[in-house]
Amino acid sequence: MPAPQLNPSGILQTAFSFWSSKVLLTAVEFGVFTKLAERDKTGAELVSVLELHPRANPDFFDSLLAMKFLERKGDGPSAKYSNTPESALFLDEKSPRYIGGILVMLNARLFKFWNDLPEALRTGKPQNEIKHGQKGMFEELYSDLPRLGQFMGAMTGLSRINFEAFAEKFDFSKFKTLCDIGGATGLLSLEVAKRHSHLKCNSFDLPEVEPIAKKHIAAAGLSNRVSTSHGDFFKDPLPKADVITMGMILHDWNLEKKMRLIRAAYDALPAGGALVAIEALIDDPRRENLQGLLMSLNMLIEFGDAFDYTGADFRQWCGEVGFKRFEVIHLAGPSSAAVAYK
């Protein structure tokens, strides 16, 4: 039996994947999907409304078509482009399920910073704004409250699907209170409160963030069951609660600071209470969850010594602090909830 014919297609597809990534990120930046939500348009009409050079048509739009992010009725200059069901739901800025905020950030910041991955791997140092003598992203945002609110609102799209899944899959029947650490807009608390009427939730973050959370909570009509509090989770005790959640928080820090947060959560929980970390959790053998592994490299790009981790890592760290029981709950896509019970 002849040996299977080897070919380089997989290698080449990955090597050239930054081309397709940049096309999608640029389309989100330009608002292609938002404009097409108004009505179907020809390539010439898109060029006009997006203020592009005629050379963009038809290559730019047909690339999005070939990648299945657009649909097209007909062929030639009179053909009209439209959104796919997925792009209409997730990439139209006016959609309540919009996830484009993170794509805008990828295009504006991380695309160019990832070009310096070789230097990050050689030096272990961040490759973001700090490298170029500027303020870090979060330091810059916290000094500009309107931009901070806009950024956090945009980021909710990325988190929503995981927080919804957590609210549905985790057993809250034995608990009465929840505190979300680094709660941002209060999204996790809101999603849990919507589904579990017996729970009181608290969204904890820095003082600059609290007004933003209050606004979102009031808009959801849940101010009677979702409260806010503020502080610095490295300096102040965490609020007491039966369940303490950290959505995409632990991976931002090195091991010493991860352990400080885990110990702070342990101290704030009652016996039987639960600490929940929601992340793109790397699988224990470190073979399958590519997104989790790439996210950990992104933590190198952003922070240097920060990193993502496996469920086994989480269990070991929490066990050292005193937690007694553990589980991992898959949420959506590459993300899971790692749970430790006191």
Side-chain angles (χ1 to χ4, degrees):
M1 184 176 180
Q5 186 71 35
L6 300 179
N7 72 78
S9 59
I11 295 171
L12 293 173
Q13 182 178 5
T14 298
F16 282 95
S17 61
F18 73 96
W19 287 9
S20 54
S21 171
K22 191 63 176 180
V23 168
L24 174 61
L25 298 179
T26 301
V28 172
E29 178 187 330
F30 285 176
V32 170
F33 308 101
T34 302
K35 293 298 183 183
L36 285 175
E38 300 167 357
R39 64 174 178 83
D40 298 355
K41 291 179 173 63
T42 66
E45 289 172 331
L46 280 170
V47 162
S48 176
V49 74
L50 298 172
E51 299 181 348
L52 305 181
H53 190 278
R55 178 61 183 83
N57 183 38
D59 291 350
F60 182 46
F61 310 118
D62 284 346
S63 295
L64 292 164
L65 171 72
M67 289 189 285
K68 312 298 183 188
F69 298 126
L70 291 183
E71 295 176 348
R72 190 184 68 200
K73 295 177 183 176
D75 299 315
S78 63
K80 290 197 172 184
Y81 297 91
S82 61
N83 286 326
T84 65
E86 289 81 8
S87 61
L89 182 62
F90 296 117
L91 296 178
D92 170 16
E93 292 176 30
K94 298 177 182 177
S95 169
R97 310 290 292 183
Y98 178 64
I99 63 168
I102 185 63
L103 276 70
V104 170
M105 189 183 81
L106 289 173
N107 200 36
R109 298 183 62 252
L110 292 179
F111 199 92
K112 61 178 179 285
F113 295 150
W114 267 74
N115 188 59
D116 292 339
L117 176 63
E119 185 176 344
L121 294 172
R122 291 189 183 105
T123 66
K125 293 182 180 179
Q127 303 300 310
N128 60 9
E129 293 91 348
I130 294 171
K131 172 184 173 180
H132 303 284
Q134 303 168 20
K135 292 181 180 179
M137 179 185 68
F138 291 114
E139 187 180 357
E140 186 72 36
L141 283 172
Y142 285 121
S143 67
D144 185 342
L145 292 187
R147 278 187 63 206
L148 178 63
Q150 183 182 37
F151 170 79
M152 289 192 165
M155 290 293 286
T156 59
L158 181 66
S159 304
R160 187 185 304 276
I161 188 170
N162 291 322
F163 294 169
E164 287 177 340
F166 170 64
E168 292 169 359
K169 293 184 177 184
F170 185 76
D171 182 5
F172 286 97
S173 61
K174 299 177 182 178
F175 305 110
K176 295 180 180 179
T177 57
L178 176 148
C179 182
D180 185 32
I181 305 303
T185 63
L187 179 65
L188 187 149
S189 295
L190 290 172
E191 295 300 334
V192 170
K194 287 176 187 175
R195 291 164 177 79
H196 303 279
S197 58
H198 71 285
L199 277 175
K200 296 276 189 180
C201 300
N202 176 28
S203 186
F204 176 88
D205 213 315
L206 292 169
E208 299 92 332
V209 178
E210 191 170 18
I212 299 171
K214 284 182 178 293
K215 178 181 175 182
H216 283 264
I217 293 165
L222 286 168
S223 299
N224 60 324
R225 287 197 297 115
V226 180
S227 61
T228 63
S229 58
H230 64 261
D232 183 328
F233 52 50
F234 285 124
K235 296 177 180 177
D236 304 312
L238 301 184
K240 304 284 186 181
D242 298 332
V243 178
I244 289 179
T245 54
M246 298 182 184
M248 291 167 285
I249 297 294
L250 279 181
H251 78 156
D252 285 340
W253 310 102
N254 62 23
L255 181 56
E256 185 268 332
K257 288 185 175 179
K258 282 177 168 65
M259 293 302 296
R260 284 170 60 185
L261 288 173
I262 292 170
R263 289 190 184 97
Y266 185 86
D267 291 341
L269 288 167
L275 166 63
V276 182
I278 296 174
E279 308 271 17
L281 205 66
I282 300 171
D283 57 293
D284 287 352
R286 298 177 61 89
R287 290 177 177 269
E288 298 176 4
N289 192 349
L290 177 60
Q291 182 65 22
L293 293 163
L294 293 176
M295 182 64 79
S296 195
L297 284 175
N298 190 61
M299 293 301 100
L300 165 60
I301 295 285
E302 289 279 31
F303 304 114
D305 57 0
F307 61 95
D308 282 72
Y309 50 91
T310 68
D313 293 330
F314 180 81
R315 177 174 183 152
Q316 177 184 336
W317 301 332
C318 292
E320 291 175 9
V321 169
F323 287 92
K324 299 301 183 185
R325 186 165 64 88
F326 310 89
E327 65 176 327
V328 172
I329 304 170
H330 177 253
L331 299 178
S335 297
S336 299
V339 187
Y341 296 91
K342 183 172 177 177

